[in-house]
Amino acid sequence: MRRPRLLSAGLLAIAALSGCASAPNPQQALQGMNVAEFKQIPAAMHAPDSADIKQILSQPVSQEQAVRLALLGDPALHAMLAQATAAQAQYAQAGLPFSPGLGFERMRSADGLEIGRSISLSLFELLQWPARRQAQAQRQYRNQLQLAAQIASRIGEIRQSWVQAVAAEQQSRYAQDVLEFAQAGAELARRMQAAGNFSELQRAREHLFYAEAAQQAQQAQWQAEHSRAQLLRLLGLTPAQAASLKLPERLPDLPKTPRSADEVAQAASGLHLGLLIAKAELQAATSSNSALAGLELEGSLLRNSQEDGGKKKGFELHLRLPLFDAGALARQELSAQARAALLQMEAQQRGAQHQLQQAYAAYRSAWQLAHLQQSEILPLQQRILQQEQLRYNGMLTGVFDLMAQAREQAGAVREALKAQQQFWQQDAHLQQSLLGAADAAQGIATE
């Protein structure tokens, strides 16, 4: 009687432990990370007419407000959270112990009726349960990190798209200004040719500038519409929300100085999702139990009752003989997976530093180019144009020489706008690199 009681007590303990199993909440796990944007993720997706969303849309949406808008109400982003929750539940379920099997047997013979009852349990599965439970916990942790990487990557896309949308609208407005200027020049050239003061060649040159300006204005308008549509898609807005979305008229000014290398290095010493995922993969691969791979042992307790009142008790063991599969291939697979995880971890460690250096070099170079364009080239172009105006007022030069100089200044303004856009895009990319989101998302995509 002692063994069945011990077995029953053990089964009750396992049942109690398994009853305490629950899937962790991905949103709570994200909010526990040291990432400011993750702390803004609400427990549930906000309705399109919620007060928070209305308040954001009531004024021009900044880059950070665009991110918050997506965190509050983007169905695609909240679908990621729901899928992660489902995966967490699956891992928690896979970490539960296998339920024992109950058997019932009724046999009649010349000696009378015999009733057999049995309870069976896979002993190897029971021995492996703590390791399996730990492995599922590691998969849950890895799933949380992958979710964090996906959301961080989405936030990075929104930042990039916001910069493109604001810059495209700014460039489109400026292209319209240039077009009006070119149209006025072309009309003046037409009238001067009609009056006999301008050659056909001179008029054709002015008209060509007008045609090119019209082409650039059309391209800029298409780019503005395309960039805005891309941003609206990433924000997950409804048609009514999209119609009410207002963007700032211009990109933020350049910072007076770029972020220093020490500042970036200090920020990089914190959370790096790519490295954390690689560590989780390695831990999961090395903790797999390869010693029992390919083996299977099942034990059963038997209790038979006979019609004459006699009783039989005993146990039964079923061992699958590993004649054709002794587990060598399974152990080889686990060993190879552990080695691959170790090498991937090393590759992540080496690549993360290079990737951050590359992102910082691009960020700093973009700042220097934009700063040079705004602090040197544009003021020089403006000064030259002013001098040309003085020469025109003193009748030392003609109106078309003045317009030619204005065209050069327009080109310099366009280049300055592009340089400013490039800087803010590199700034967003640097933020992604500090989190390691780009590496992590690439790793997830190649799984």
Side-chain angles (χ1 to χ4, degrees), residues 364-393:
R364 191 171 181 85
S365 176
W367 183 88
Q368 290 171 338
L369 288 174
H371 180 70
L372 181 64
Q373 196 78 29
Q374 292 187 1
S375 64
E376 297 289 340
I377 297 178
L378 276 183
L380 284 174
Q381 286 285 359
Q382 183 64 28
R383 192 184 306 172
I384 293 173
L385 182 60
Q386 290 172 350
Q387 291 297 317
E388 199 68 34
Q389 284 177 335
L390 292 175
R391 286 167 52 82
Y392 173 74
N393 294 338

Side-chain angles (χ1 to χ4, degrees), residues 291-347:
L292 301 178
L295 300 180
E296 184 176 332
L297 176 62
E298 183 176 307
S300 302
L301 289 177
L302 306 175
R303 184 184 180 90
N304 292 353
S305 301
Q306 296 177 332
E307 194 174 20
D308 58 359
K311 295 185 182 301
K312 294 180 181 177
K313 298 178 183 177
F315 64 89
E316 187 178 58
L317 293 176
H318 289 278
L319 174 64
R320 189 178 66 180
L321 297 177
L323 295 180
F324 305 107
D325 182 10
L329 293 177
R331 286 189 288 273
Q332 184 179 4
E333 177 188 354
L334 293 174
S335 176
Q337 288 177 347
R339 178 168 173 74
L342 179 63
L343 293 174
Q344 286 173 354
M345 169 78 184
E346 187 175 344

Side-chain angles (χ1 to χ4, degrees), residues 87-109:
Q88 296 290 62
Q90 286 180 352
Y91 292 139
Q93 185 181 18
L96 296 176
F98 290 149
S99 300
L102 294 177
F104 179 80
E105 188 178 61
R106 185 177 185 276
M107 299 186 64
R108 180 175 290 280
S109 64

Side-chain angles (χ1 to χ4, degrees), residues 11 192 279:
L11 292 176
M192 291 186 70
K279 287 180 182 177

Side-chain angles (χ1 to χ4, degrees), residues 219-382:
Q219 289 176 342
Q221 183 181 356
W222 174 85
Q223 185 62 45
E225 293 172 355
H226 174 74
S227 301
R228 182 181 175 87
Q230 173 75 4
L231 177 62
L232 295 176
R233 183 183 66 79
L234 289 174
L235 295 180
L237 299 182
T238 64
Q241 290 174 328
S244 63
L245 178 72
K246 296 185 288 292
L247 293 174
E249 293 186 353
R250 57 195 298 273
L251 289 173
D253 293 333
L254 287 180
K256 293 182 179 177
T257 57
R259 302 174 71 174
S260 66
D262 292 340
E263 184 184 355
V264 171
Q266 185 176 1
S269 61
L271 181 71
H272 193 286
L273 293 171
L275 286 178
L276 289 178
I277 290 177
K279 287 180 182 177
E281 296 277 2
L282 176 60
Q283 192 174 10
T286 54
S287 62
S288 299
N289 190 352
S290 60
L292 301 178
L295 300 180
E296 184 176 332
L297 176 62
E298 183 176 307
S300 302
L301 289 177
L302 306 175
R303 184 184 180 90
N304 292 353
S305 301
Q306 296 177 332
E307 194 174 20
D308 58 359
K311 295 185 182 301
K312 294 180 181 177
K313 298 178 183 177
F315 64 89
E316 187 178 58
L317 293 176
H318 289 278
L319 174 64
R320 189 178 66 180
L321 297 177
L323 295 180
F324 305 107
D325 182 10
L329 293 177
R331 286 189 288 273
Q332 184 179 4
E333 177 188 354
L334 293 174
S335 176
Q337 288 177 347
R339 178 168 173 74
L342 179 63
L343 293 174
Q344 286 173 354
M345 169 78 184
E346 187 175 344
Q348 274 285 352
Q349 287 176 331
R350 294 184 185 182
Q353 185 65 25
H354 295 309
Q355 201 269 342
L356 182 60
Q357 288 175 351
Q358 187 178 8
Y360 180 69
Y363 162 84
R364 191 171 181 85
S365 176
W367 183 88
Q368 290 171 338
L369 288 174
H371 180 70
L372 181 64
Q373 196 78 29
Q374 292 187 1
S375 64
E376 297 289 340
I377 297 178
L378 276 183
L380 284 174
Q381 286 285 359
Q382 183 64 28

Side-chain angles (χ1 to χ4, degrees), residues 128 132 427:
Q128 289 181 310
R132 190 159 51 84
D427 178 75

